[in-house]
């Protein structure tokens, strides 16, 4: 469906939870060497993020609440980024009022963040999307300070069924956050569409089965960069026990990353 959505955008033209570093990328008070400002490198990085399809965190200046979204398309020829609607849904009301957001995500083990100016709103199959201009700078500390704990290495199994097609879907978890999950499936799920509901989904964390439904938000079919079909979405109808388990699991990963960063910083300081 993501490919169909990109085709739709082109016709209109001729149209994953990680916090950023402590430094605030919205602040212009002091220049920071961790900012990426080269236009070519910015565009390449954005295309890489689009290809990886991580879940992204959206923040507003007016609230401390976190919202989830994803990058649907990066249109280099028009210098535009297309981002998905926000979860929880009241974030979509905020975005139409404030027109400016901070997007942060984790890419190849590196926390990055940048500011986006919303210039247009559209919808596809009843799902909102937002057009933004490609940023002039990205906060991107490019030296990996600690190895990322790869979800793929844990071989967490996933299973579910499409409510629309009644076809079963299986695979492994490659991306997990408090609000959603991404899976890698060896099957080419060509009939799955953005907005579909996957029912009776399960994953297993520490020998505990977590059950939920999943609202599909992106689909990437196999190409030169990926061997399997990637499907990502947001949790629906998940009970409090399962939600708490996922939150504890994600928090454990985050604490491990922080611990590794501190250890690496100590080693670096010792060597210097």
């Amino acid at each position: 469906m993501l490919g169909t959505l990109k085709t739709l955008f082109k016709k209109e033209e001729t149209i994953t939870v990680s916090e950023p570093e402590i430094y605030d990328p919205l602040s212009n008070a002091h220049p920071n060497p961790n900012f990426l400002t080269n236009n070519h490198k910015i565009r390449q990085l954005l295309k890489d993020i689009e290809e990886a399809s991580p879940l992204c965190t959206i923040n507003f200046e007016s609230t401390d609440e976190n919202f989830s979204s994803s990058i649907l398309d990066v249109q280099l020829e028009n210098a535009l980024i297309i981002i998905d609607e926000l979860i929880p849904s009241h974030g979509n009301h905020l975005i139409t009022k404030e027109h400016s957001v901070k997007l942060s995500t984790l890419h190849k083990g590196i926390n990055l963040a940048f500011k986006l100016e919303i210039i247009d709103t559209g919808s596809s199959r009843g799902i909102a999307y937002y057009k933004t201009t490609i940023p002039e700078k990205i906060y991107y500390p490019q030296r990996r300070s600690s190895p990322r704990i790869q979800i793929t290495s844990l071989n967490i199994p996933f299973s579910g069924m499409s409510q629309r097609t009644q076809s079963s879907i299986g695979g492994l978890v490659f991306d997990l956050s408090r609000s959603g999950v991404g899976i890698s499936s060896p099957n080419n799920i060509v009939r799955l569409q953005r907005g579909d509901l996957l029912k009776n989904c399960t994953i297993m964390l520490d020998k505990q089965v977590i059950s939920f439904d999943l609202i599909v938000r992106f689909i990437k079919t196999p190409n030169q960069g990926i061997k399997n079909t990637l499907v990502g979405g947001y949790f629906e109808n998940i009970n409090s026990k399962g939600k708490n388990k996922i939150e504890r699991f994600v928090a454990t990963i985050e604490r491990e990353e922080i611990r590794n960063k501190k250890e690496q910083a100590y080693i670096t300081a010792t060597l210097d």
Side-chain angles (χ1 to χ4, degrees):
M1 181 56 198
L2 183 58
T4 303
L5 187 60
K6 289 186 179 182
T7 302
L8 173 63
F9 290 145
K10 291 177 180 177
K11 287 181 179 178
E12 291 178 356
E13 292 168 7
T14 30
I15 237 199
T16 170
V17 166
S18 297
E19 298 298 324
E21 301 288 344
I22 295 175
Y23 183 82
D24 184 0
L26 296 185
S27 172
N28 294 315
H30 304 284
N32 189 292
N34 286 321
F35 271 114
L36 184 65
T37 58
N38 181 282
N39 184 60
H40 175 74
K41 291 183 178 180
I42 286 175
R43 289 172 172 239
Q44 183 59 56
L45 175 61
L46 291 172
K47 290 299 291 186
D48 290 344
I49 295 172
E50 177 205 348
E51 186 66 31
S53 297
L55 291 172
C56 303
T57 299
I58 300 292
N59 295 104
F60 297 91
E61 290 185 336
S62 62
T63 176
D64 293 332
E65 184 175 4
N66 293 332
F67 298 88
S68 296
S69 184
S70 59
I71 295 177
L72 296 174
D73 194 19
V74 178
Q75 301 174 355
L76 299 182
E77 65 277 14
N78 299 311
L80 293 176
I81 301 174
I82 312 298
I83 65 171
D84 197 4
E85 68 178 4
L86 274 56
I87 303 294
S89 59
H90 60 271
N92 298 293
H93 176 66
L94 282 174
I95 207 171
T96 58
K97 291 175 55 180
E98 300 198 19
H99 303 289
S100 178
V101 301
K102 181 175 67 177
L103 183 149
S104 56
T105 191
L106 189 70
H107 179 63
K108 295 183 178 180
I110 301 173
N111 290 296
L112 59 87
F114 49 91
K115 183 177 179 181
L116 292 174
E117 299 292 337
I118 307 302
I119 61 173
D120 195 14
T121 302
S123 65
S124 173
R125 298 182 182 273
I127 303 172
Y129 61 81
Y130 303 98
K131 292 183 183 180
T132 78
T133 53
I134 288 178
E136 295 182 355
K137 59 182 180 180
I138 295 178
Y139 180 64
Y140 186 51
Q142 297 172 61
R143 185 181 66 178
R144 181 176 300 189
S145 56
S146 67
R148 183 184 181 187
I149 301 174
Q150 294 289 340
I151 296 296
T152 51
S153 68
L154 301 181
N155 293 320
I156 300 172
F158 169 94
S159 66
M161 177 173 289
S162 169
Q163 184 182 54
R164 183 174 58 85
T165 67
Q166 295 300 304
S167 59
S168 60
I169 298 168
L172 296 175
V173 173
F174 75 84
D175 185 280
L176 183 66
S177 76
R178 291 173 174 84
S179 59
V181 65
I183 66 166
S184 173
S185 174
N187 301 321
N188 187 5
I189 315 172
V190 293
R191 299 177 62 192
L192 204 59
Q193 298 178 353
R194 183 169 179 261
D196 279 356
L197 179 65
L198 302 186
K199 300 286 290 183
N200 304 319
C201 301
T202 62
I203 60 175
M204 182 174 288
L205 300 179
D206 297 331
K207 299 182 180 181
Q208 178 180 332
V209 176
I210 313 296
S211 301
F212 52 90
D213 295 337
L214 191 72
I215 301 176
V216 175
R217 278 297 182 261
F218 69 79
I219 303 132
K220 286 187 178 296
T221 54
N223 56 33
Q224 292 182 349
I226 56 175
K227 297 179 180 179
N228 295 339
T229 298
L230 304 183
V231 179
Y234 301 114
F235 296 128
E236 187 84 355
N237 300 324
I238 182 171
N239 62 33
S240 57
K241 184 178 179 180
K243 185 175 181 180
N244 290 338
K245 179 61 180 178
I246 289 174
E247 289 181 347
R248 290 196 299 270
F249 186 84
V250 172
T252 299
I253 293 177
E254 292 173 342
R255 285 196 298 271
E256 184 65 24
E257 288 184 346
I258 292 172
R259 186 181 301 112
N260 288 339
K261 286 181 180 180
K262 289 181 178 179
E263 291 176 354
Q264 186 62 42
Y266 174 78
I267 293 172
T268 300
T270 303
L271 292 175
D272 291 344

